Amino acid sequence: MRRLICALLSIIGGLGCARIYRPVTLATPPASIRGEGLAGQVALQPWGDNSRYERKALQANLRVFVLTLENTSSVDLEILRLDLPEGATALLPAAATSLVKQRSLAYILYPLLPGLASLGAAEKPPSGSVGPSDQAILQGLVIVGACIGIPNALIAARSNRHLEAFFRDQAWSPGLLRAGQTRRGLVFLRAPDLYAPLPLLIIYRGSAGERNLALIGPGARPL
């Protein structure tokens, strides 16, 4: 039983602590690439102090770009869509969040595992031994685990909500871009080679008909 207690402590210790989401701002766009009446830039969105989310994004082959489009013409443009190369996919903000979010329910294991183990533990210490019984030790771990696990679960859940709200509020979407207007937004993309540049094609329509603007999304930065 003592080996089981040590194993439980190792499992709980391996979970670590939840991380508080730290707000970030959109990346500063690089030099623009100009097309017929439309200019655009693509930059990697920084994760700031949110290294746990960034690490999960790398593991999931997820890149978050800031796409900036500027209508340099004197007429309105309709941004139709974003075309990607074969093998690359675009995600909605909720799907991107699900790939990187902290598993808040995992912190319930802090009190749950020792609680389950205590059900079959001895109520008294072994004959001739000194100290509390296995059941008493495990019940103490339940209390400690609850004090640690529940706050961590709440922190993780709240941080996930803040991240998803940022993704949702800042997400890029096609639509009308008026003359002289500039608009920025987040694009969530997955591609097989996370560190290779990713070609992006902006399809738009103006008075001269349908056009496209070719941009390059930078490769992810390794941690």
Side-chain angles (χ1 to χ4, degrees):
M1 180 58 70
R2 295 305 168 103
R3 290 183 178 180
L4 174 60
I5 294 174
C6 292
L8 289 174
L9 290 174
S10 297
I11 293 172
I12 292 173
L15 291 174
C17 295
R19 296 294 187 270
I20 297 174
Y21 170 71
R22 307 291 185 184
V24 295
T25 57
L26 294 183
T28 302
S32 62
I33 296 175
R34 293 183 175 271
E36 296 183 40
L38 184 69
Q41 305 105 340
V42 182
L44 278 172
Q45 170 59 32
W47 291 90
D49 294 330
N50 303 293
S51 59
R52 176 168 295 187
Y53 289 116
E54 183 177 12
R55 186 163 53 250
K56 285 178 172 287
L58 292 175
Q59 293 170 351
N61 275 11
L62 173 69
R63 266 180 281 185
V64 182
F65 290 133
V66 178
L67 173 61
T68 304
L69 296 177
E70 178 188 2
N71 185 346
T72 59
S73 73
S74 58
V75 298
D76 295 346
L77 298 177
E78 184 181 3
I79 311 300
L80 300 176
R81 64 185 183 276
L82 173 64
D83 278 357
L84 304 174
E86 185 178 357
T89 56
L91 301 180
L92 295 174
T97 304
S98 69
L99 291 176
V100 302
K101 68 180 181 181
Q102 301 180 68
R103 307 301 173 185
S104 56
L105 293 180
Y107 294 103
I108 303 301
L109 294 177
Y110 278 58
L112 180 61
L113 289 179
L116 293 175
S118 69
L119 298 178
E123 297 181 6
K124 297 180 179 181
S127 179
S129 65
V130 178
S133 66
D134 293 339
Q135 188 178 71
I137 294 174
L138 289 168
Q139 288 173 346
L141 288 177
V142 170
I143 297 173
V144 174
C147 293
I148 298 174
I150 293 175
N152 274 274
L154 295 175
I155 290 171
R158 184 169 60 249
S159 295
N160 290 338
R161 288 196 300 271
H162 289 166
L163 177 66
E164 184 170 9
F166 173 68
F167 280 0
R168 183 182 62 250
D169 294 344
Q170 300 295 335
W172 178 86
S173 62
L176 186 66
L177 191 62
R178 299 197 178 278
Q181 182 183 8
T182 298
R183 191 167 69 233
R184 292 196 295 166
L186 296 176
V187 179
F188 313 95
L189 303 177
R190 299 183 79 184
D193 188 349
L194 184 67
Y195 301 103
L198 186 62
L200 310 175
L201 201 61
I202 309 299
I203 310 299
Y204 63 101
R205 182 187 294 120
S207 57
E210 191 169 301
R211 295 287 187 269
N212 64 71
L213 177 67
L215 303 173
I216 299 293
R221 295 185 295 265
L223 288 177

